[in-house]
Amino acid sequence: MGFRDECGVVGIYGAENAAALSYFALTSLQHRGQESAGIAVSDGNKIKLRKDMGLVSDVFKQGHFETLNGNIAVGHVRYATAGGRTIDNAQPFMNSFKNGSIALAHNGQLVNHTKLREMLEDHGSTFSSSSDSEVILKLIVRKYIENGGHLGTPNEEENNSELNQQRFVEAVVQTAKLISGSFALCIMTENMLIGVRDPNGIRPLCIGGFDTPASQALNHRDGGQFILTSESCAIDSVNGRFVRDVEPGEIVVINKDGLRSIKYAEDKKRTCIFEYVYFARPDSVIDGISVQEARYRMGEVLAEESPVDADVVIGVPDSGLGAAQGYARASGVPYGMGIIKNKYIGRTFIAPTQKERENMVFVKLNAIRSDLEGKRVIVIDDSIVRGTTSRRLVQILRRAGAKEVHFRVSSPQVKFPCHLGIDTPSKNELISSNHELEEIRKEIGADSLAFISLEGMKKAFGADSFCKGCFNGEYPV
Ligand code: AMP
């Protein structure tokens, strides 16, 4: 089985307590991955790394921050499918030399890592994991050495020299041109932080600053503070200030001279639309589009496309709530809460077997009888993947006395597995890839069922620069 990582990344530059800030940022990216967490931090001379399986709050305890001192850091949270669920694949990855180190955190998935790994192994590289992200790290190392870099030099002055940094940046540029797929990267050396976004910008990556006098403007030359991260909600969590997104095909280099941008490839923007549908937090803004606003709009268009007479509109928490509010707003049907979600359990996808997944829904979601009894209910979810959640939900709503259950979905039918970083099951498990609409309606037991159309989705966003491969099978890479 190939890799299907869903991840969150962060990079901090110039802050006194870079590891602690990374901890806060990773906690607000926890929805992007719950299996492992890690932070690498540099004090200017040495990089230290701590990573382990579990939630951010499981991996890091108070005492750890006393040793994780330094002002440059990269951090990572990871969600992986069963095959890759080991500590070996936890990030950041680190490569140490005699007198220098690199740490790297990757969100995304490469499509050419097998070939690159073979090439690197032929040239003597060794790997400690099966992760495609380690291939990126080792490729940078190789390019750096080829460029005449001196990470192994015993002379610290030379290690920090401009030339050395330039060689390293050049190695990152060369690597970014060789790898293909989706990648949002935070990379650090002892004295530099680098962000990289793939030419399609499939996974998000944005830049924040801190409102200290020294960091009010970009490109100042006397030491600013920056954060790079998957989602803007993580910038808010450290009381930072959103500056801008890293552009598709852009590398940003942050060092003592400030922030410098390198365009290494043409911007062929195709951001993953599923980030807006399901994955990202509603308080994040990705490429200028508010995730919550996108969800409202998808709900509104869904109401225009598939209206139905009903007494109440409810949403499946959390990712269906925005669309439900949009649907209610556009249809005039009153919005109700209707369903409550247990805050203390993880995502249903984590349950390894189908049986466990099905029963997890009863634990995770319940109906509020007083909102629903005797009513015709429109229930909105953001997506149907296997159909497990929707089938159980209809059961739960009927059990609570709903007279009719009309299921509406604010994304089109998921027909194709994603190979660019969203965890979707194989094609034969995707209910929409092998069933017609009416069959799915019967299967989930709803009185009616409708999905937003691909056209409708385009209308909701007012743009078409997205990867919609899971819906239409057309992937940019
Ligand atoms: P399913 O029960 O397999 O049909 O999954 C659909 C439900 O899972 C919806 O409520 C979605 O909000 C949620 N979902 C969609 N995509 C993912 C994903 N990649 N990981 C975890 N949950 C997801």
PDB file of all heavy atoms in Angstrom, residues 61-76:
ATOM      1  N   LYS A  61       5.688  17.237  27.073  1.00  0.00           N
ATOM      2  CA  LYS A  61       5.345  17.566  28.465  1.00  0.00           C
ATOM      3  C   LYS A  61       6.195  18.765  28.876  1.00  0.00           C
ATOM      4  O   LYS A  61       7.232  19.044  28.268  1.00  0.00           O
ATOM      5  CB  LYS A  61       5.630  16.372  29.393  1.00  0.00           C
ATOM      6  CG  LYS A  61       4.898  15.097  28.988  1.00  0.00           C
ATOM      7  CD  LYS A  61       3.406  15.196  29.240  1.00  0.00           C
ATOM      8  CE  LYS A  61       2.670  13.972  28.723  1.00  0.00           C
ATOM      9  NZ  LYS A  61       1.269  14.229  28.371  1.00  0.00           N
ATOM     10  N   GLN A  62       5.741  19.411  29.930  1.00  0.00           N
ATOM     11  CA  GLN A  62       6.398  20.628  30.417  1.00  0.00           C
ATOM     12  C   GLN A  62       7.932  20.553  30.389  1.00  0.00           C
ATOM     13  O   GLN A  62       8.594  21.407  29.812  1.00  0.00           O
ATOM     14  CB  GLN A  62       5.926  20.907  31.850  1.00  0.00           C
ATOM     15  CG  GLN A  62       6.405  22.218  32.420  1.00  0.00           C
ATOM     16  CD  GLN A  62       5.619  23.396  31.856  1.00  0.00           C
ATOM     17  OE1 GLN A  62       4.401  23.326  31.730  1.00  0.00           O
ATOM     18  NE2 GLN A  62       6.311  24.453  31.505  1.00  0.00           N
ATOM     19  N   GLY A  63       8.466  19.500  30.972  1.00  0.00           N
ATOM     20  CA  GLY A  63       9.911  19.383  31.122  1.00  0.00           C
ATOM     21  C   GLY A  63      10.668  19.373  29.801  1.00  0.00           C
ATOM     22  O   GLY A  63      11.819  19.808  29.727  1.00  0.00           O
ATOM     23  N   HIS A  64      10.028  18.916  28.737  1.00  0.00           N
ATOM     24  CA  HIS A  64      10.729  18.798  27.454  1.00  0.00           C
ATOM     25  C   HIS A  64      11.206  20.146  26.927  1.00  0.00           C
ATOM     26  O   HIS A  64      12.223  20.234  26.251  1.00  0.00           O
ATOM     27  CB  HIS A  64       9.810  18.151  26.408  1.00  0.00           C
ATOM     28  CG  HIS A  64       9.488  16.725  26.729  1.00  0.00           C
ATOM     29  ND1 HIS A  64       8.232  16.191  26.606  1.00  0.00           N
ATOM     30  CD2 HIS A  64      10.280  15.728  27.191  1.00  0.00           C
ATOM     31  CE1 HIS A  64       8.253  14.934  26.979  1.00  0.00           C
ATOM     32  NE2 HIS A  64       9.474  14.622  27.337  1.00  0.00           N
ATOM     33  N   PHE A  65      10.464  21.197  27.248  1.00  0.00           N
ATOM     34  CA  PHE A  65      10.800  22.495  26.657  1.00  0.00           C
ATOM     35  C   PHE A  65      12.052  23.108  27.280  1.00  0.00           C
ATOM     36  O   PHE A  65      12.661  23.990  26.699  1.00  0.00           O
ATOM     37  CB  PHE A  65       9.592  23.429  26.723  1.00  0.00           C
ATOM     38  CG  PHE A  65       8.487  22.931  25.832  1.00  0.00           C
ATOM     39  CD1 PHE A  65       7.441  22.179  26.344  1.00  0.00           C
ATOM     40  CD2 PHE A  65       8.532  23.150  24.463  1.00  0.00           C
ATOM     41  CE1 PHE A  65       6.457  21.675  25.513  1.00  0.00           C
ATOM     42  CE2 PHE A  65       7.560  22.649  23.620  1.00  0.00           C
ATOM     43  CZ  PHE A  65       6.518  21.903  24.155  1.00  0.00           C
ATOM     44  N   GLU A  66      12.395  22.615  28.457  1.00  0.00           N
ATOM     45  CA  GLU A  66      13.631  23.110  29.070  1.00  0.00           C
ATOM     46  C   GLU A  66      14.849  22.706  28.243  1.00  0.00           C
ATOM     47  O   GLU A  66      15.822  23.442  28.150  1.00  0.00           O
ATOM     48  CB  GLU A  66      13.764  22.574  30.502  1.00  0.00           C
ATOM     49  CG  GLU A  66      12.863  23.332  31.443  1.00  0.00           C
ATOM     50  CD  GLU A  66      12.520  22.545  32.691  1.00  0.00           C
ATOM     51  OE1 GLU A  66      13.342  21.709  33.122  1.00  0.00           O
ATOM     52  OE2 GLU A  66      11.414  22.778  33.221  1.00  0.00           O
ATOM     53  N   THR A  67      14.768  21.535  27.620  1.00  0.00           N
ATOM     54  CA  THR A  67      15.906  21.115  26.795  1.00  0.00           C
ATOM     55  C   THR A  67      15.737  21.537  25.338  1.00  0.00           C
ATOM     56  O   THR A  67      16.718  21.634  24.608  1.00  0.00           O
ATOM     57  CB  THR A  67      16.091  19.587  26.854  1.00  0.00           C
ATOM     58  OG1 THR A  67      14.829  18.992  26.580  1.00  0.00           O
ATOM     59  CG2 THR A  67      16.606  19.139  28.206  1.00  0.00           C
ATOM     60  N   LEU A  68      14.481  21.792  24.919  1.00  0.00           N
ATOM     61  CA  LEU A  68      14.264  22.179  23.518  1.00  0.00           C
ATOM     62  C   LEU A  68      14.399  23.694  23.365  1.00  0.00           C
ATOM     63  O   LEU A  68      13.472  24.376  22.929  1.00  0.00           O
ATOM     64  CB  LEU A  68      12.879  21.720  23.053  1.00  0.00           C
ATOM     65  CG  LEU A  68      12.686  20.208  22.890  1.00  0.00           C
ATOM     66  CD1 LEU A  68      11.232  19.873  22.608  1.00  0.00           C
ATOM     67  CD2 LEU A  68      13.571  19.656  21.759  1.00  0.00           C
ATOM     68  N   ASN A  69      15.542  24.211  23.721  1.00  0.00           N
ATOM     69  CA  ASN A  69      15.704  25.667  23.632  1.00  0.00           C
ATOM     70  C   ASN A  69      16.313  26.066  22.290  1.00  0.00           C
ATOM     71  O   ASN A  69      17.065  25.306  21.685  1.00  0.00           O
ATOM     72  CB  ASN A  69      16.554  26.179  24.802  1.00  0.00           C
ATOM     73  CG  ASN A  69      17.855  25.412  24.901  1.00  0.00           C
ATOM     74  OD1 ASN A  69      17.861  24.186  24.786  1.00  0.00           O
ATOM     75  ND2 ASN A  69      18.944  26.115  25.070  1.00  0.00           N
ATOM     76  N   GLY A  70      15.950  27.246  21.850  1.00  0.00           N
ATOM     77  CA  GLY A  70      16.470  27.713  20.568  1.00  0.00           C
ATOM     78  C   GLY A  70      15.458  28.598  19.877  1.00  0.00           C
ATOM     79  O   GLY A  70      14.304  28.686  20.319  1.00  0.00           O
ATOM     80  N   ASN A  71      15.871  29.281  18.795  1.00  0.00           N
ATOM     81  CA  ASN A  71      14.926  30.197  18.154  1.00  0.00           C
ATOM     82  C   ASN A  71      14.569  29.898  16.705  1.00  0.00           C
ATOM     83  O   ASN A  71      13.920  30.685  16.041  1.00  0.00           O
ATOM     84  CB  ASN A  71      15.367  31.660  18.328  1.00  0.00           C
ATOM     85  CG  ASN A  71      16.854  31.805  18.094  1.00  0.00           C
ATOM     86  OD1 ASN A  71      17.413  31.047  17.298  1.00  0.00           O
ATOM     87  ND2 ASN A  71      17.480  32.737  18.784  1.00  0.00           N
ATOM     88  N   ILE A  72      14.972  28.714  16.242  1.00  0.00           N
ATOM     89  CA  ILE A  72      14.460  28.254  14.941  1.00  0.00           C
ATOM     90  C   ILE A  72      13.901  26.855  15.172  1.00  0.00           C
ATOM     91  O   ILE A  72      14.519  26.041  15.857  1.00  0.00           O
ATOM     92  CB  ILE A  72      15.563  28.180  13.863  1.00  0.00           C
ATOM     93  CG1 ILE A  72      16.343  29.504  13.791  1.00  0.00           C
ATOM     94  CG2 ILE A  72      14.964  27.843  12.507  1.00  0.00           C
ATOM     95  CD1 ILE A  72      17.520  29.457  12.818  1.00  0.00           C
ATOM     96  N   ALA A  73      12.716  26.581  14.619  1.00  0.00           N
ATOM     97  CA  ALA A  73      12.136  25.249  14.829  1.00  0.00           C
ATOM     98  C   ALA A  73      11.291  24.838  13.635  1.00  0.00           C
ATOM     99  O   ALA A  73      10.777  25.693  12.894  1.00  0.00           O
ATOM    100  CB  ALA A  73      11.277  25.245  16.100  1.00  0.00           C
ATOM    101  N   VAL A  74      11.186  23.541  13.428  1.00  0.00           N
ATOM    102  CA  VAL A  74      10.154  23.013  12.523  1.00  0.00           C
ATOM    103  C   VAL A  74       9.388  21.925  13.281  1.00  0.00           C
ATOM    104  O   VAL A  74       9.953  21.230  14.128  1.00  0.00           O
ATOM    105  CB  VAL A  74      10.704  22.450  11.182  1.00  0.00           C
ATOM    106  CG1 VAL A  74      11.384  23.533  10.368  1.00  0.00           C
ATOM    107  CG2 VAL A  74      11.630  21.268  11.381  1.00  0.00           C
ATOM    108  N   GLY A  75       8.092  21.823  12.983  1.00  0.00           N
ATOM    109  CA  GLY A  75       7.265  20.840  13.667  1.00  0.00           C
ATOM    110  C   GLY A  75       6.303  20.168  12.710  1.00  0.00           C
ATOM    111  O   GLY A  75       6.053  20.662  11.596  1.00  0.00           O
ATOM    112  N   HIS A  76       5.773  19.044  13.163  1.00  0.00           N
ATOM    113  CA  HIS A  76       4.962  18.218  12.265  1.00  0.00           C
ATOM    114  C   HIS A  76       3.922  17.429  13.048  1.00  0.00           C
ATOM    115  O   HIS A  76       4.212  16.924  14.134  1.00  0.00           O
ATOM    116  CB  HIS A  76       5.907  17.238  11.549  1.00  0.00           C
ATOM    117  CG  HIS A  76       5.301  16.506  10.397  1.00  0.00           C
ATOM    118  ND1 HIS A  76       4.691  15.282  10.553  1.00  0.00           N
ATOM    119  CD2 HIS A  76       5.198  16.819   9.091  1.00  0.00           C
ATOM    120  CE1 HIS A  76       4.258  14.872   9.351  1.00  0.00           C
ATOM    121  NE2 HIS A  76       4.545  15.784   8.461  1.00  0.00           N
TER     122      HIS A  76
END
